[in-house]
Amino acid sequence: MALVVICGQPCSGKSTAAICLAEALNDSKCKQTVRIIDEASFHIDRNQSYANMPAEKNLRGVLRSEVDRYVSKDNIIIVDSLNSIKGYRYELWCLARAAGIRYCVVYCDVEDMQCRKWNEDRKEKGEDAYNDVIFEDLVRRFENPDIRNRWDSPLFELRPQIDGVEKSCDVIADAASYLTKKVDSKSDVKEVINVIVEAQSQAIGGPLAAISIG
């Protein structure tokens, strides 16, 4: 029924967001199976996976293949990874589009300094963490999601360092509602058209002719 792409800087709270969203969806008693696809599922060491471009490309390929395997109208798939490359998010969007299911992006918007602190905290606790060189490289190359891109929309933005992340927080609740709402094709079409008209009107500096739905 849906594909959810979690994205954000390294150590920005993505896994917590994925778990909270999965819990919120299960609490809503949705009929679909909620499945999280992440790097930990494959016992992949994060530093080895991002040590060079071939390794990183291979990781994305593994995750994409797993998404392709499970994406269907019987599942809600949550992809918990950096998903930092816009071209890769586009590939995931294409999978959702081909399967005819809903798609959205949940972005953990956290300042770089806070991500560094959380990564250092992981090291001190002996937990899985990025080494400094790889961390800085990933931060530098991260491509922020942009709601104007169809593969980044709908976009739900979380601020873990400010608001924390819980399954009951507004952003998670909004995302869960979007993923489980019943489809009303006519009202959904009207909503989409209104968004398009407003966006195009702002882009060209003047209103467009009204569009009617039969």
Side-chain angles (χ1 to χ4, degrees), residues 96-117:
R97 186 181 184 189
I101 62 174
R102 287 181 184 157
Y103 172 94
C104 70
V105 173
V106 176
Y107 172 39
C108 292
D109 185 6
V110 179
E111 294 180 359
D112 297 352
M113 289 300 296
Q114 183 63 57
C115 292
R116 289 186 183 90
K117 181 180 184 305

Side-chain angles (χ1 to χ4, degrees), residues 17 21 66 88 96 98 118 128-129 151 154 165 189 197 199:
L21 179 57
E66 193 73 357
Y88 182 62
W118 285 341
D128 196 15
W151 56 87
V165 181
V189 169
V197 169

Side-chain angles (χ1 to χ4, degrees), residues 18-34 76 78 166-169 172-173 176-177 180:
I19 292 171
C20 288
L21 179 57
E23 291 177 348
L25 289 167
N26 287 324
D27 287 350
S28 71
K29 298 180 180 179
C30 65
K31 297 179 180 180
Q32 289 72 27
T33 299
V34 180
I76 296 179
I78 302 173
E166 297 179 356
K167 65 180 179 180
S168 59
C169 71
I172 293 294
S177 176
T180 58

Side-chain angles (χ1 to χ4, degrees), residues 177-204:
S177 176
Y178 166 76
L179 294 167
T180 58
K181 71 175 180 179
K182 293 181 179 179
V183 176
D184 179 343
S185 59
K186 191 166 184 177
S187 64
D188 282 357
V189 169
K190 287 181 178 179
E191 181 180 347
V192 170
I193 287 179
N194 287 338
V195 171
I196 293 173
V197 169
E198 180 180 358
Q200 291 183 342
S201 174
Q202 292 177 352
I204 65 176

Side-chain angles (χ1 to χ4, degrees), residues 125-139:
K125 295 177 182 177
E127 299 174 351
D128 196 15
Y130 297 93
N131 69 47
D132 293 343
V133 173
I134 289 177
F135 181 90
E136 295 301 330
D137 179 59
L138 292 174
V139 168

Side-chain angles (χ1 to χ4, degrees), residues 8-11 46-57 59-60 82-85 112 115-116 119 123 130-144:
Q9 295 281 16
C11 292
R46 62 181 60 192
N47 287 307
Q48 291 180 358
S49 299
Y50 294 103
N52 51 60
M53 287 301 169
E56 185 175 335
K57 184 178 180 180
L59 170 63
R60 290 198 294 267
L82 292 176
N83 297 315
S84 57
I85 307 300
D112 297 352
C115 292
R116 289 186 183 90
N119 190 53
K123 290 180 182 178
Y130 297 93
N131 69 47
D132 293 343
V133 173
I134 289 177
F135 181 90
E136 295 301 330
D137 179 59
L138 292 174
V139 168
R140 178 181 58 81
R141 294 191 291 110
F142 183 80
E143 297 176 338
N144 289 349

